[in-house]
Amino acid sequence: MRDHGRLTDWWRGRRWADDRGDASIQMAIVYPFVLLAAIAVIQASMWYYARQIALTAAREGVTAARAYQAGPADGTARARQVLGRTAGDSLRSVSVSASSDGERVRVQVRGVAQSLLPGVPGLTITQSASGPAERWVEP
């Protein structure tokens, strides 16, 4: 009976010895996917934030450009002012354009969202807003 106990002890010891390193191998397989998912979530958040900055600048530009006796240049100036305050490094290579046909004003903001990975170009973002121009109309 005692020999059976030794055999069981040997088997238990052998089994635990064979399991050594399994956690390390599992982490080596799983960790890159976890890291990739975390980077993807952060990059998507940075892209979304840059889009919101561009949209806010375009909306502010339209608000300024559609005011009575204002023009597209006023909208461009206001959009650039908003970008100067809020964009920081989140939105790079920014260009602002505004146009008006006399009845509607449109402001477009283009830029590149910052990339989390060095050497990888960011995503191009284009946001625009438009609205009716305020004007005096004879009754």
Side-chain angles (χ1 to χ4, degrees), residues 8-69:
T8 305
D9 290 342
W10 175 81
W11 177 251
R12 284 187 188 146
R14 181 74 178 154
R15 189 181 76 187
W16 285 111
D18 287 344
D19 286 347
R20 273 192 205 161
D22 280 355
S24 298
I25 291 172
Q26 290 171 356
M27 284 302 293
I29 293 170
V30 171
Y31 185 70
F33 293 109
V34 171
L35 187 62
L36 186 62
I39 288 173
V41 167
I42 293 169
Q43 184 65 55
S45 299
M46 291 171 64
W47 171 76
Y48 179 78
Y49 181 64
R51 272 191 67 191
Q52 293 306 311
I53 290 171
L55 184 59
T56 299
R59 286 179 177 170
E60 289 287 326
V62 164
T63 300
R66 60 185 291 253
Y68 182 66
Q69 293 186 341

Side-chain angles (χ1 to χ4, degrees), residues 61-126:
V62 164
T63 300
R66 60 185 291 253
Y68 182 66
Q69 293 186 341
D74 298 315
T76 301
R78 177 70 178 146
R80 288 190 187 282
Q81 182 184 21
V82 170
L83 287 169
R85 277 185 305 155
T86 59
D89 290 337
S90 299
L91 193 61
R92 297 174 294 140
S93 304
V94 177
S95 66
V96 179
S97 62
S99 61
S100 175
D101 62 2
E103 291 186 20
R104 292 194 67 77
V105 177
R106 183 172 188 260
V107 176
Q108 183 177 25
V109 177
R110 288 183 68 113
V112 177
Q114 185 178 12
S115 176
L116 188 62
L117 301 173
V120 177
L123 296 171
T124 302
I125 293 172
T126 304

